[in-house]
Structure formats: C-alpha cells, structure tokens
Amino acid sequence: GIVGFYKGATPAIQRAALVNLGELTTYDSAKTYIVENMGIGRDDLRCHLLSAFCSGFVASLCSTPADVAKSRIMSQKPAADGSVMYKGTFHCWVKTVNEEGFFALYKGFFPGWFRLAPWQLVFWVTYERLRIVAGLGSFK
C-alpha cells in the first residue's frame, strides 16, 4: 500500500542530511586549513581537489551508519505477527552494535566512499571554477 511506498523514507532523509553535514562543513574547514598551513592558494586547483577529497571522506564517515540502517530497515520483512526487527534508525544502530560490534555500522564504507568521492571532486572543482570564471572568486 501507500505506507509501503514510503518505507525507509526517514532513514534515507537522515542519510542525506548526514552526507550534506559532512561534505559542506568539511570542505570549508579543509580549504581553510590547506590555505593557512600548506601554502596553497585559495583559488588553486590543488586546494580544491584536496578539500573535495577530505569532504568526500568525512561525508562517507558521517553517512555510512545511516546507509547501513537505511538498507536494513528498507529490506526487512515483517514476521508473521507483524513485528519488525528494526523500529527505526537509532534502534537499528543499537541492535547492530550490540549484536555485531561497532564497526558493523561501517559495512560498505569503502564502496560508499568510492561512489561519493568522484561526485565531490566533480562538484566542488566545477563549482569553484565557475565562481572564478564568473568573477566571484572561490568559495570562502
């Protein structure tokens, strides 16, 4: 039914929020660090590439536990009595850590990072280059 159509929507939204949290805050922080400590200019392509790399890594660190929960919640089948194994994201995390250990929350980290890294590189470098071409300067 219609409820089944939205099964897993909440963990998917939570995951998206964590990806954005990780990528946006890290890109700006990494860029500032690189400019101040590595002697690379703010408009330098190397700065943008390194910042994007850091951004993708941290976004993956933040979002992988939500990815694990999302996958488990969306794929669970109700028992005969209608009960489900996971009641929500937090419940899934607690149950996963208790039964499989903390690092089970990071199953699929590397494939997730390898999927997110090219997007981060393309997005941030393109964004920075377009700002420079438009005369706006790079993202501060």
Side-chain angles (χ1 to χ4, degrees), residues 23-32 35 41-44 47-48 51-52 55 123-133 135-140:
E23 74 183 28
L24 296 173
T25 58
T26 303
Y27 185 81
D28 185 47
S29 299
K31 187 172 178 184
T32 299
V35 168
R42 188 167 286 283
D43 289 343
D44 191 310
C47 179
H48 303 157
S51 301
S55 173
F123 172 77
W124 285 113
V125 170
T126 302
Y127 176 74
E128 293 279 16
R129 295 289 122 188
L130 288 173
R131 283 186 58 92
I132 293 166
V133 168
L136 300 172
S138 68
F139 183 68
K140 307 260 186 233

Side-chain angles (χ1 to χ4, degrees), residues 53-67:
F53 178 84
C54 293
S55 173
F57 182 78
V58 173
S60 294
L61 277 179
C62 291
S63 67
T64 300
D67 259 338

Side-chain angles (χ1 to χ4, degrees), residues 14-92:
Q14 292 167 336
R15 180 210 171 268
L18 290 169
V19 167
N20 285 306
L21 169 84
E23 74 183 28
L24 296 173
T25 58
T26 303
Y27 185 81
D28 185 47
S29 299
K31 187 172 178 184
T32 299
Y33 179 86
I34 290 164
V35 168
E36 291 176 358
N37 296 293
M38 296 178 73
I40 298 175
R42 188 167 286 283
D43 289 343
D44 191 310
L45 179 62
R46 294 172 300 162
C47 179
H48 303 157
L49 289 170
L50 288 170
S51 301
F53 178 84
C54 293
S55 173
F57 182 78
V58 173
S60 294
L61 277 179
C62 291
S63 67
T64 300
D67 259 338
V68 169
K70 176 180 71 85
S71 297
R72 292 178 182 209
I73 290 167
M74 292 175 89
S75 66
Q76 69 183 340
K77 304 275 188 249
D81 64 357
S83 64
V84 291
M85 184 180 292
Y86 306 113
K87 297 176 180 128
T89 303
F90 187 73
H91 181 254
C92 180

Side-chain angles (χ1 to χ4, degrees), residues 1-11 73-74 76 78 82 84 87:
I2 192 75
V3 175
F5 183 71
Y6 288 99
K7 179 180 173 184
T10 299
I73 290 167
M74 292 175 89
Q76 69 183 340
V84 291
K87 297 176 180 128

